[in-house]
């Protein structure tokens, strides 16, 4: 393989090889430090690592309880509205 690359280089061709694995980088003191490319690191980061809104079980129960309470309030308001329309004889169900 090296002979083929040397022969290609003698003919004026540039041999290009794919980079595999981690890049070996050095710090200011010349010490080799393993690292990955910035683009690879950005791709590996998971978006949306904010804390969840209702993480704990009691928060989930409270949220569900509040939603049910709101639904019941809307239901009673609708019931009252329907009763009022029925009493005025203008009730036309859809």
């Amino acid at each position: 393989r090296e002979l083929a690359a040397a022969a290609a280089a003698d003919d004026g061709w540039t041999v290009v090889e794919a980079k595999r694995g981690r890049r070996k980088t050095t710090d200011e003191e010349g010490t080799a430090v393993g690292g990955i490319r910035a683009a690879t690191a950005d791709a590996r980061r998971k978006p949306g690592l904010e804390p969840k809104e209702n993480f704990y079980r009691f928060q989930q129960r409270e949220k569900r309880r509040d939603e049910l309470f709101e639904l019941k309030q809307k239901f009673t308001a609708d019931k009252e509205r329907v009763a009022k329309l029925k009493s005025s004889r203008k009730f036309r169900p859809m």
Side-chain angles (χ1 to χ4, degrees):
R1 183 176 179 133
E2 292 178 5
L3 292 174
D10 290 340
D11 293 337
W13 293 93
T14 303
V15 179
V16 179
E17 293 182 5
K19 294 181 181 177
R20 294 186 184 112
R22 292 177 175 255
R23 287 188 181 177
K24 303 296 186 232
T25 57
T26 56
D27 59 2
E28 303 86 35
E29 300 165 357
T31 307
V33 178
I36 58 174
R37 296 184 188 136
T40 306
D42 290 340
R44 287 184 183 176
R45 283 195 193 102
K46 294 181 182 176
L49 290 178
E50 304 93 30
K52 293 185 178 181
E53 184 177 330
N54 295 322
F55 181 76
Y56 295 105
R57 175 80 66 189
F58 77 91
Q59 290 173 323
Q60 294 171 0
R61 282 194 302 259
E62 286 177 354
K63 181 180 175 187
R64 197 175 319 126
R65 190 180 311 129
D66 292 342
E67 288 173 353
L68 286 173
F69 182 72
E70 289 176 16
L71 280 174
K72 286 178 185 177
Q73 282 184 332
K74 288 179 184 178
F75 178 72
T76 54
D78 286 344
K79 229 165 57 170
E80 291 171 3
R81 187 175 55 86
V82 167
K84 187 188 226 182
L85 289 173
K86 276 186 179 180
S87 66
S88 68
R89 301 269 184 191
K90 295 181 182 178
F91 178 71
R92 294 192 181 108
M94 294 183 186

